[in-house]
Amino acid sequence: MRPDLRGVPTSAPAEEALMDFETALESLYANRGEPLNLIRPALKQWPEWSLPHVFRAIVLLGFTERRFARGAAGSLERAEPLLAHATDRERGLYTAARHMLEGNWTEACETFEQLLIEYPLDMLALHTAQNLDFFRGQPVVLRNRVSRVLPAWTPTTPGYGFVLGMQAFGLEESNQYPEAESVARAALELHPENPWAVHALAHVMEMQGRVSEGIEHLESGASLWAPDSGFAYHNWWHLALFYLDRGDDAAVLDLYDRELGAPEARFALNMLDAAALLWRLNLLGIDVGDRAEPVAAWWREQIAEGSAYYAFNDFHAAVSFALTGDVPSLAALLEQLEQAPADSGRGAISREVGLPLVRAMVDYATGNHAGCAKALARQRDAAQAFGGSHAQRDLITLTLTDAAARGGNPALARHYLNERRIMKPASPLADRLEERIALLAA
Ligand SMILES: [Fe+2]
């Protein structure tokens, strides 16, 4: 048994193997570099060690895309015969990864939690469970899971500042904005480059409608958080939301063209943000030109592979199809969602949340705006179950408002606008939405 940097037991065959693994793990939790590339030396040099195989599977499954499931399954198959030499903790990580592969995110989280009871410093278990809490729409767990292990961490524990970043995001998604801000700032004191802590603070400002502060926060730190970070895309997206809230449409489009429109690699995690931003612009009557088609085309390719895998992605695929008027792709997506497996994990999220929301987008795209508004009003407060952040799911409310106005029910649109005025009194977007409602309903 060879303890890792935090004293958590591993069966690493050599100290060098452990260091290679730690490099990849740090890349994962710090959102810096490419964990899949960085785990390769350990896989190549010590193929008899199960943990790097399990790590690779967990990283691949974190993309929430069907196309990576086969690679993850292969890694777990390679890990399985090696488990006899693994520690109990490593076997637990394998079991949790298996649950992830099978779409049983709740069981995966339970397994990670069992590990965290015994090994509260297990960074891989903690990081992955937080991702899963986010994907399955459990904001309070997002906060509490970190709280349960935090007493075991000290400022000298490797990765401590990044755990504070996780705590900050959990607090923010639990609507504890002052506490979230304080913890995010503490995390950024330790690691000003940490994109996850930057993100948590951006969310606080987004939820409170602190538009100018949000822009300053993201722009002033971009030279630190953006380089070599796969998470930078999402932070640029947040900056675009602040510009949009301020009414600076040209800055939104410019930022889209610079940072969001042509990423080096396209993943659901960033293409859903691209679709969402273009849809938000469209809902405000801003012409997005030919920007929507490549986004919809990417989502079409995923549908061709059978996409009903994670409902949050599928909804954004539907948004991109509504944006481009691609009703056949909406129909194909709907058909796949109707056949979602009858499990209690990812399949249940597809059936219970994805299906009605995609149906509502079909209504929107086919001109049944009143039907769309009615369906979205019914689903909106339950949609948390398909994950994403409050800020991301605001897309549902914005679509509902637009559809209600177009469908001849401006009172319904204003009903939901009232919420925004109370929750984000400083946000200029509400007045703009009011004008838009009046225009659409006229
Ligand atoms: Fe976010």
Side-chain angles (χ1 to χ4, degrees):
M1 194 278 282
R2 198 180 293 272
D4 74 4
L5 292 183
R6 286 158 292 277
V8 177
T10 76
S11 59
E15 197 58 29
E16 199 186 344
L18 194 56
M19 288 305 104
D20 281 349
F21 180 79
E22 286 284 351
T23 301
L25 177 62
E26 183 179 359
S27 165
L28 180 67
Y29 69 70
N31 284 289
R32 191 76 50 191
E34 294 286 344
L36 287 173
N37 288 342
L38 292 167
I39 198 64
R40 278 195 191 130
L43 287 166
K44 195 173 168 199
Q45 210 163 341
W46 293 279
E48 73 282 10
W49 184 25
S50 64
L51 186 56
H53 297 285
V54 173
F55 176 88
R56 181 172 183 272
I58 284 174
V59 174
L60 284 169
L61 293 167
F63 285 104
T64 67
E65 292 185 47
R66 185 181 298 281
R67 63 187 168 134
F68 298 122
R70 186 183 296 180
S75 285
L76 291 181
E77 277 166 28
R78 284 187 283 283
E80 195 177 0
L82 309 173
L83 293 174
H85 310 290
T87 63
D88 285 348
R89 175 244 171 183
E90 289 169 328
R91 277 192 282 273
L93 290 171
Y94 168 86
T95 302
R98 259 277 154 228
H99 286 310
M100 288 173 73
L101 178 68
E102 287 159 8
N104 298 323
W105 286 346
T106 301
E107 288 81 350
C109 283
E110 285 168 0
T111 309
F112 283 127
E113 190 68 10
Q114 285 302 313
L115 290 170
L116 290 169
I117 291 168
E118 194 167 354
Y119 308 109
L121 303 180
D122 187 332
M123 186 58 126
L124 181 56
L126 182 62
H127 172 86
T128 313
Q130 174 156 91
N131 273 351
L132 292 179
D133 291 336
F134 180 68
F135 295 151
R136 65 201 184 103
Q138 297 279 341
V140 175
V141 187
L142 205 62
R143 178 195 66 190
N144 291 354
R145 196 187 300 283
V146 182
S147 306
R148 290 193 287 267
V149 300
L150 207 50
W153 291 74
T154 73
T156 58
T157 313
Y160 171 75
F162 294 93
V163 175
L164 290 186
M166 294 184 209
Q167 186 196 20
F169 187 60
L171 286 164
E172 182 280 324
E173 285 297 294
S174 302
N175 307 331
Q176 291 178 245
Y177 303 129
E179 295 90 340
E181 178 159 357
S182 158
V183 176
R185 290 194 186 282
L188 289 169
E189 281 278 311
L190 294 168
H191 297 283
E193 78 289 0
N194 177 1
W196 192 246
V198 166
H199 173 244
L201 187 52
H203 263 272
V204 170
M205 292 167 175
E206 168 67 31
M207 297 311 289
Q208 295 182 321
R210 292 156 60 186
V211 175
S212 301
E213 277 182 272
I215 291 171
E216 160 68 17
H217 163 58
L218 287 169
E219 285 186 340
S220 66
S223 63
L224 292 172
W225 56 254
D228 197 26
S229 173
F231 197 71
Y233 192 99
H234 186 68
N235 277 342
W236 289 124
W237 178 81
H238 274 281
L239 179 59
L241 287 199
F242 286 122
Y243 285 146
L244 192 66
D245 204 327
R246 192 169 69 176
D248 195 345
D249 303 341
V252 179
L253 290 170
D254 180 56
L255 183 58
Y256 185 89
D257 292 339
R258 274 189 292 121
E259 303 291 349
L260 303 173
E264 277 178 29
R266 293 173 194 256
F267 300 103
L269 293 170
N270 51 29
M271 295 309 282
L272 66 88
D273 280 341
L277 184 61
L278 295 176
W279 184 246
R280 284 175 192 241
L281 287 161
N282 176 64
L283 291 177
L284 289 169
I286 300 158
D287 182 5
V288 299
D290 56 7
R291 293 174 181 86
E293 186 46 40
V295 177
W298 185 86
W299 283 109
R300 257 196 307 278
E301 283 173 28
Q302 313 312 307
I303 304 299
E305 293 178 18
S307 115
Y309 185 75
Y310 174 35
F312 191 68
N313 296 346
D314 299 331
F315 172 65
H316 286 84
V319 163
S320 79
F321 300 148
L323 189 56
T324 51
D326 184 353
V327 175
S329 291
L330 274 165
L333 176 59
L334 196 58
E335 200 180 316
Q336 288 182 21
L337 280 161
E338 282 165 349
Q339 292 162 6
D343 60 32
S344 60
R346 237 183 10 239
I349 300 173
S350 292
R351 285 194 315 279
E352 290 160 22
V353 188
L355 188 56
L357 288 178
V358 169
R359 239 183 227 136
M361 294 313 297
V362 174
D363 282 337
Y364 191 101
T366 53
N368 180 10
H369 295 111
C372 172
K374 189 176 171 191
L376 291 181
R378 190 182 300 136
Q379 288 302 318
R380 170 186 181 265
D381 294 328
Q384 183 170 298
F386 82 168
S389 64
H390 298 299
Q392 286 174 309
R393 288 190 307 274
D394 191 28
L395 194 68
I396 298 170
T397 309
L398 292 168
T399 308
L400 161 56
T401 307
D402 179 284
R406 285 178 194 270
N409 194 348
L412 179 63
R414 292 192 181 102
H415 190 61
Y416 283 96
L417 190 57
N418 288 339
E419 253 186 49
R420 182 178 302 271
R421 289 194 186 283
I422 296 294
M423 298 305 291
K424 299 169 80 168
S427 158
L429 184 62
D431 288 341
R432 196 168 175 195
L433 290 170
E434 175 68 52
E435 286 169 24
R436 185 81 184 147
I437 291 165
L439 182 77
L440 293 173

